[in-house]
Amino acid sequence: MATTFVLNGTSTTLDVDPNMPLLWAIREVSGLHGTKFGCGMAMCGACTVHVDGQAVRSCVMPLSSVANRQVTTIEGLKSRQAKAVQAAWIGLQVPQCGYCQSGQIMSATALLEKNAAPTDADIDGAMSGNICRCATYPRIRAAIHAAAIAAKV
């Protein structure tokens, strides 16, 4: 059964099992490998994408649930906030191993698109579902604060 949705601004129809996790539809069928598999249980955040602007875990979301919706992956980020987050990540050298970073960036961008001036508590809440095995949390928080300032300019 075919599922049609908008993927990174382009109408996309995938003729696969509608119960396939969105993560695998994005990676294996659509060929976009920036979204990572981490745990398969929505616990680590490596698979974070935006669905209608909301950060969600794609590893447990069936493809059928995004029918006629907007899905944005790390490859499709274009907002002013997204560019500010990406620049801050580079400028503050946030990644260590880098595996979780696409999910981290997706969650941080979703936060800044809804809250232009997040507090530490706001950041902690928005990022609590994203695990970084390298423990770069202080750099992640600093980068989100820097991106919030840069996005206002």
Side-chain angles (χ1 to χ4, degrees), residues 56-77:
V56 300
R57 307 301 184 244
S58 64
C59 68
V60 296
M61 178 172 270
L63 178 61
S64 62
S65 70
V66 299
N68 303 313
R69 298 176 76 185
Q70 304 271 337
V71 176
T72 305
T73 68
I74 189 78
E75 294 91 346
L77 284 180

Side-chain angles (χ1 to χ4, degrees), residues 70-143:
Q70 304 271 337
V71 176
T72 305
T73 68
I74 189 78
E75 294 91 346
L77 284 180
K78 293 185 169 114
S79 71
R80 183 178 76 256
Q81 295 88 346
K83 298 300 180 191
V85 167
Q86 291 168 332
W89 245 245
I90 293 166
L92 294 175
Q93 299 179 356
V94 171
Q96 190 164 319
C97 83
Y99 193 82
C100 69
Q101 295 307 308
S102 63
Q104 300 280 358
I105 288 169
M106 295 302 289
S107 291
T109 298
L111 168 64
L112 291 182
E113 288 175 349
K114 290 177 180 48
N115 181 349
T119 64
D120 283 348
D122 295 332
I123 293 169
D124 291 347
M127 302 303 291
S128 66
N130 291 81
I131 296 172
C132 176
R133 291 184 63 184
C134 301
T136 64
Y137 302 113
R139 292 192 304 234
I140 290 168
R141 181 185 287 156

Side-chain angles (χ1 to χ4, degrees), residues 33-68:
H33 297 119
T35 305
K36 303 298 184 196
F37 173 79
C39 67
M41 300 180 297
M43 303 284 292
C44 72
C47 67
T48 303
V49 299
H50 295 175
V51 176
D52 296 334
Q54 183 79 13
V56 300
R57 307 301 184 244
S58 64
C59 68
V60 296
M61 178 172 270
L63 178 61
S64 62
S65 70
V66 299
N68 303 313

